[in-house]
Amino acid sequence: MNLAWKEIKKNKVRFFILGSIVFLISLLTFIISGLANGLSQDNAALIKDLPNGQFYMNKDAEETYNLSRIDSSIQDKILNKYNDATALSIQMGFLNDKNDKQQSVAFVTSTDSKLFKNVKDGEVLLDQSMKDKGIKVGDVLTNNQFSGEFVVKGFVDQKKFSHAPVAFINIENYKEMYRVNEMQLVFIPGNDKVQEVDGLQSFSKKDFLNTIASYSAEQMSLNMIVWFLVVISGLLFAIFFYMMNVQKMGLYGILKAVGVKTGALFKMMWTQMLFITVIALGLSIILSQVFNRMAPQGMPFSLTLVTTMQLSLVFLIIGFIGATLSGIQIKKVEPLQAIQQGEV
């Protein structure tokens, strides 16, 4: 411990540079992770907020939910068998506000269920983000495919689909708008065991989210960046300590000659790695959480403390692996040879 601390004080600039780079990489990783989580909620909060369960769609739809049509007899059979099951449909569309301006929404309707909002004929419940567009309770909205009008009865928190605010409407109004009688999906909550249904394909919640093209592509890109940055941090530790070790071969030779064990030299290196990483991560966590609270309201950003702690643990593990790999040469040091080759 004393050796590790003395070396840090002796080479303050080198360790400060390493710590600064780790700080910047970890902060960038936290920010991108928060953006990925925020976009995930903005893209599919309607589905993500549901309990675990199984989604069913028509096999002929080829994993495209808006092409799915579930036969009414099959639907009734499932709903009668599972009390908590619900049939639902989701379709992108628009509403005309009082100024005749089109507002993009995701229309959602379902059979009677506690999981989705049920509204009366001619009524609509909107995501709260529609308030920012000047829409209020009692406003009358229209749709070109609907013969009647929609009266805004209230707002719901954080219900988005495909980056559009959700609009819950009555099932009969939905059928009139889209000229369909069948529902697209059936959802059975809390049913971990997949039940085979003829003509239907089942999906877990995670698998169903991945059938949404925009969701899977978006999350894959952002998660690749996050893990790429984590790997860079590991390589950074490996390269830094490798260069430091090359320069200290003579010192290691003397230390080994006077009886310092290889394990003690590794502990010195691990202590330095831990010291730098903890300080850098501590600053990154503070700044990222401050940003999480100060981010503009419309910005899709969500960074929970749990996610931050998980990423921090990954950084520590990667740093430990990188430093350890760079220190393999310490084990091979022969005292006399190292003294002759290196500087003391």
Side-chain angles (χ1 to χ4, degrees), residues 117-163:
K117 299 295 183 181
N118 295 300
V119 294
K120 297 178 181 178
D121 182 22
E123 296 180 351
V124 62
L125 286 173
L126 300 171
D127 178 74
Q128 63 177 354
S129 61
M130 295 294 280
K131 289 181 180 179
D132 299 332
K133 298 179 181 179
I135 296 176
K136 303 184 293 294
V137 173
D139 281 1
V140 176
L141 309 177
T142 60
N143 179 278
N144 296 349
Q145 298 168 276
F146 183 50
S147 59
E149 296 177 333
F150 290 110
V151 178
V152 179
K153 283 297 180 180
F155 296 91
V156 292
D157 292 333
Q158 295 298 317
K159 295 298 179 186
K160 294 284 192 75
F161 187 84
S162 194
H163 297 296

Side-chain angles (χ1 to χ4, degrees), residues 47-206:
I47 305 300
K48 292 189 72 176
D49 291 344
L50 291 174
N52 290 328
Q54 293 292 322
F55 286 88
Y56 291 85
M57 71 170 75
N58 196 302
K59 284 184 179 179
D60 294 336
E62 297 181 347
E63 301 186 2
T64 305
Y65 75 90
N66 54 359
L67 298 180
S68 174
R69 297 290 183 270
I70 295 179
D71 185 86
S72 57
S73 61
I74 297 176
Q75 173 185 311
D76 292 340
K77 184 178 179 180
I78 296 174
L79 297 185
N80 290 332
K81 184 176 180 180
Y82 301 97
N83 293 331
D84 294 333
T86 183
L88 67 142
S89 288
I90 308 169
Q91 199 67 263
M92 304 306 295
F94 61 87
L95 287 168
N96 300 314
D97 62 18
K98 60 184 178 182
N99 298 318
D100 207 30
K101 183 178 179 181
Q102 289 187 350
Q103 304 291 347
S104 178
V105 295
F107 287 108
V108 177
T109 192
S110 69
T111 54
D112 289 340
S113 171
K114 296 178 181 178
L115 300 174
F116 296 95
K117 299 295 183 181
N118 295 300
V119 294
K120 297 178 181 178
D121 182 22
E123 296 180 351
V124 62
L125 286 173
L126 300 171
D127 178 74
Q128 63 177 354
S129 61
M130 295 294 280
K131 289 181 180 179
D132 299 332
K133 298 179 181 179
I135 296 176
K136 303 184 293 294
V137 173
D139 281 1
V140 176
L141 309 177
T142 60
N143 179 278
N144 296 349
Q145 298 168 276
F146 183 50
S147 59
E149 296 177 333
F150 290 110
V151 178
V152 179
K153 283 297 180 180
F155 296 91
V156 292
D157 292 333
Q158 295 298 317
K159 295 298 179 186
K160 294 284 192 75
F161 187 84
S162 194
H163 297 296
V166 162
F168 291 101
I169 60 175
N170 182 268
I171 194 168
E172 296 303 324
N173 297 156
Y174 179 92
K175 289 178 178 180
E176 178 189 335
M177 288 170 59
Y178 293 101
R179 309 297 188 268
V180 294
N181 290 314
E182 302 88 359
M183 303 295 274
Q184 295 171 345
L185 303 163
V186 170
F187 177 64
I188 305 176
N191 190 11
D192 296 329
K193 185 178 179 180
V194 178
Q195 302 292 326
E196 295 294 333
V197 181
D198 289 340
L200 300 186
Q201 185 175 1
S202 64
F203 300 86
S204 66
K205 186 167 74 170
K206 181 179 179 181

Side-chain angles (χ1 to χ4, degrees), residues 252-308:
Y252 290 149
I254 291 177
L255 291 173
K256 280 195 169 186
V258 299
V260 177
K261 296 185 180 297
T262 302
L265 297 178
F266 269 97
K267 286 180 182 178
M268 178 182 74
M269 187 171 58
W270 290 332
T271 301
Q272 293 169 344
M273 181 278 300
L274 192 63
F275 176 79
I276 294 168
T277 309
V278 168
I279 291 178
L281 287 175
L283 292 173
S284 297
I285 290 170
I286 292 171
L287 285 179
S288 61
Q289 289 301 313
V290 169
F291 182 79
N292 189 36
R293 285 168 172 74
M294 296 180 65
Q297 188 174 1
M299 184 177 182
F301 187 88
S302 175
L303 184 63
T304 64
L305 205 53
V306 173
T307 301
T308 306

Side-chain angles (χ1 to χ4, degrees), residues 205-255:
K205 186 167 74 170
K206 181 179 179 181
D207 290 339
F208 178 72
L209 286 170
N210 288 327
T211 67
I212 305 171
S214 61
Y215 179 88
S216 55
E218 187 177 83
Q219 290 301 301
M220 184 182 295
S221 300
L222 291 170
N223 287 330
M224 280 180 64
I225 295 173
V226 168
W227 289 111
F228 185 67
L229 289 170
V230 170
V231 171
I232 287 177
S233 70
L235 292 174
L236 180 67
F237 275 110
I239 294 169
F240 176 82
F241 282 107
Y242 175 81
M243 297 303 295
M244 291 284 286
N245 292 337
V246 167
Q247 295 175 359
K248 295 187 295 183
M249 284 301 179
L251 175 61
Y252 290 149
I254 291 177
L255 291 173

